[in-house]
Amino acid sequence: MADHEVVEAKSSWIWGWFSWSGSSSTMLRSAEKKILSCLKTAYRGWFVDIGPVVGPADKIWTISLNEESPKVPIVLLHGLGAGVALWCLNLDALASQRPVYAIDLLGFGRSSRPVFSNEAQKAEEQLVRSVEEWRREMQLENFVLLGHSMGGFLAASYAMQYPERVKHLILADPWGFPEKPPDSVAKTTNVPFWVKAIAFAVRPLNPLWAVRVAGPFGQWLIEKTRPDIVKKFTPLLKDDTPIISQYIHQCNVQTPSGESAFHAMMQGFGWAKNPIVKRMDKLNDDIPITLLYGSRSWVDNSAGETIKQYRSSSYVNVQVITGAGHHVYADKSETFNKYVLEACALSDSIPHLTSSNLRSSVKPINDQEIDVIVNSPNEALEDRGSEEKNLNTSGSSTESKI
C-alpha cells in the first residue's frame, strides 16, 4: 500500500509540473471563447463525431459562420500548434461572402488526441482521412479548401485523394512542398559543436516540447520568444492580446498527439519526408490552386513557381504578400482576405478555371469593398450578390458566440 502511494505521489508531481493544470481543456475553451467573442458575425461551435478513424471515437471541434448562404463553403485548416481561434482576423471577411467552416485538426486544439502512426505516410493518411470523415458527417458536397503551413500540406494531400470535393485549393505559406536541399547539412559546418550536440539530443522530441517542459512558465515562454505572434492580433483584440499566448499555450500543453504525427512526417522540421512537389502528378489538373506566400517567411516559396511550371495548363496563381511572414493570414490579414475572396469569387463565376483565366476580366474586390467587408460584415452580406438578398444573414437562433 505504501509503495502504491509513493508511486502515485511521484506520478502526480511529474504530471503537475509538465501539464500544470488538470483543467487545461477548460482553459482552452475559455481562451477560444474570449478571442472569438470579438467577431462581428454570429458563429456556432460543436464536436463532429467522425468515429474510429485513429482512436476508438474521434471528434473534430468545428466552428461555422454564415451557414445559410447558398454559395460554395470554404473550409479552413490551421497549421502546427494552432487552432480555430487564430483565424479570428479572417472569419468576418470570409463569412461575409459564403459559409465558413474552421476545424481543429485531429490531434490539435479541442479535437480528440489519439495516438497516430510513427510512419510518415501512415500518419499523413490518418490526418487526411479524418478530414474526409468530417466532410462526410457534415454532408458537404464540395468546398474551397484553405490550409496554412502544415494545414496546407494536408489540404494538398486531401485534394490528391478526393479531387471531386475540392472546388479551389488555397495554400497559405504551405509547409512540406519543396524537397530538402542537399546542401542543408553543409550549411551547418560553422555551427558550434555544443549547438549541434543539443540539436541532436532533442531531435527525437516533438517540435513544441519546450512549451510543455516549461510547465507553468509555458505561456511566459511563448510571450517572450514570439512576441510578434501576439502583436499580430492587436487590431482585433486591442489591449487583450495576451489571450493569444494563453490560447496557443493551452493548445499545446495537452497531449502532443497531432504534434507527434507532424514529427513523423517531418524531416528536419523545415521539410517533409514525402514532399508535395514529388507527387504533383497525382493532383487533378482541373483543380485551381492559389498560393499565398509571405515575403519575409522562412518557408521556401520556390515550390510555387515549380508547381506553376509543372501545371502549365492549369490555374496556378502565386502571390507573394509584401511585408508578411509565415503567418501571412495574420500579418497582412486584409490583403490575405482580399486574395482569398477573389479566388473564391473566380471559382464561383468560372466553373472550370485554366491558366488562361489568370488574367481574367472578373472584377477584383477593391480596397473600399474590403473595408466594408472587414468593418461591416452584415452590410456586406446584404450588398454583394442579389441571390442572397432574401436570406436571414444575421444568423439563426441556434447560432451563438459560445
Side-chain angles (χ1 to χ4, degrees):
M1 183 69 177
D3 290 342
H4 175 74
E5 291 176 348
V6 170
V7 171
E8 187 176 29
K10 287 183 178 181
S11 176
S12 176
W13 180 88
I14 294 173
W15 179 253
W17 174 258
F18 286 107
S19 67
W20 79 275
S21 174
S23 60
S24 59
S25 59
T26 301
M27 297 179 73
L28 174 57
R29 177 184 180 275
S30 177
E32 178 195 277
K33 181 180 178 181
K34 193 169 186 179
I35 294 170
L36 296 181
S37 68
C38 296
L39 296 177
K40 298 176 182 179
T41 309
Y43 77 93
R44 72 184 183 104
W46 71 106
F47 289 98
V48 176
D49 190 342
I50 62 173
V53 175
V54 181
D58 295 322
K59 294 179 175 60
I60 297 286
W61 175 247
T62 305
I63 65 169
S64 66
L65 303 88
N66 190 22
E67 288 183 88
E68 297 85 357
S69 171
K71 289 189 175 181
V72 175
I74 183 169
V75 175
L76 312 180
L77 306 183
H78 62 75
L80 176 68
V84 297
L86 293 190
W87 295 110
C88 60
L89 296 174
N90 319 107
L91 293 172
D92 279 330
L94 300 183
S96 71
Q97 302 296 300
R98 64 192 61 248
V100 177
Y101 297 93
I103 68 174
D104 281 346
L105 289 164
L106 191 63
F108 293 92
R110 297 176 64 185
S111 293
S112 301
R113 299 194 173 222
V115 178
F116 289 87
S117 171
N118 57 10
E119 296 181 8
Q121 188 60 41
K122 181 64 175 177
E124 179 184 332
E125 290 172 357
Q126 290 174 324
L127 284 164
V128 168
R129 186 186 164 210
S130 71
V131 175
E132 171 59 9
E133 290 301 318
W134 172 86
R135 181 208 64 79
R136 291 179 60 183
E137 289 296 322
M138 293 295 296
Q139 299 182 2
L140 299 179
E141 186 64 25
N142 55 40
F143 43 80
V144 175
L145 185 57
L146 190 165
H148 168 251
S149 193
M150 181 196 71
F153 176 84
L154 295 175
S157 181
Y158 178 90
M160 291 176 186
Q161 297 187 48
Y162 306 98
E164 71 280 5
R165 304 303 179 190
V166 181
K167 181 74 173 178
H168 197 126
L169 183 61
I170 304 178
L171 306 169
D173 225 52
W175 169 87
F177 272 58
E179 295 185 68
K180 184 176 182 179
D183 61 339
S184 59
V185 177
K187 292 179 179 179
T188 66
T189 53
N190 295 324
V191 176
F193 174 78
W194 65 270
V195 173
K196 292 182 180 179
I198 294 177
F200 179 81
V202 302
R203 188 169 56 181
L205 303 177
N206 286 320
L208 300 173
W209 63 274
V211 174
R212 289 179 292 278
V213 169
F217 303 105
Q219 183 176 337
W220 174 86
L221 180 66
I222 293 171
E223 292 173 350
K224 294 302 179 183
T225 58
R226 294 304 305 272
D228 57 309
I229 292 181
V230 175
K231 291 179 181 178
K232 300 177 195 299
F233 297 89
T234 301
L236 181 68
L237 302 176
K238 309 304 180 189
D239 296 330
D240 200 21
T241 51
I243 193 66
I244 292 294
S245 56
Q246 181 182 339
Y247 175 73
I248 295 173
H249 179 221
Q250 290 301 326
C251 277
N252 295 288
V253 76
Q254 302 178 66
T255 304
S257 170
E259 189 181 331
S260 295
F262 175 82
H263 185 269
M265 296 186 296
M266 76 179 196
Q267 185 179 19
F269 186 78
W271 300 273
K273 291 177 181 176
N274 300 313
I276 295 295
V277 293
K278 292 183 65 177
R279 38 187 167 135
M280 284 303 298
D281 58 317
K282 296 181 180 179
L283 184 62
N284 193 314
D285 290 340
D286 293 335
I287 297 179
I289 302 176
T290 294
L291 293 112
L292 303 176
Y293 289 100
S295 65
R296 298 179 179 177
S297 174
W298 56 268
V299 170
D300 181 3
N301 61 25
S302 63
E305 291 302 322
T306 301
I307 293 172
K308 197 169 185 177
Q309 294 172 12
Y310 189 88
R311 297 165 60 87
S312 58
S313 62
S314 303
Y315 182 93
V316 181
N317 186 7
V318 182
Q319 298 290 340
V320 179
I321 299 179
T322 303
H326 180 52
H327 295 272
V328 59
Y329 62 93
D331 288 329
K332 298 290 181 178
S333 60
E334 291 189 14
T335 303
F336 177 85
N337 294 339
K338 180 177 178 179
Y339 278 126
V340 172
L341 290 172
E342 287 178 353
C344 292
L346 195 58
S347 286
D348 286 342
S349 60
I350 304 176
H352 302 290
L353 288 169
T354 65
S355 58
S356 62
N357 300 121
L358 285 170
R359 297 181 180 179
S360 174
S361 58
V362 175
K363 181 183 178 183
I365 300 172
N366 59 43
D367 292 338
Q368 183 177 3
E369 288 177 305
I370 286 293
D371 184 64
V372 171
I373 290 170
V374 172
N375 297 304
S376 305
N378 291 330
E379 179 182 341
L381 276 167
E382 296 173 359
D383 292 343
R384 291 185 62 87
S386 59
E387 73 276 14
E388 295 190 53
K389 287 185 177 180
N390 295 324
L391 292 175
N392 176 13
T393 58
S394 62
S396 67
S397 59
T398 60
E399 288 183 325
S400 62
K401 292 182 177 179
I402 58 176

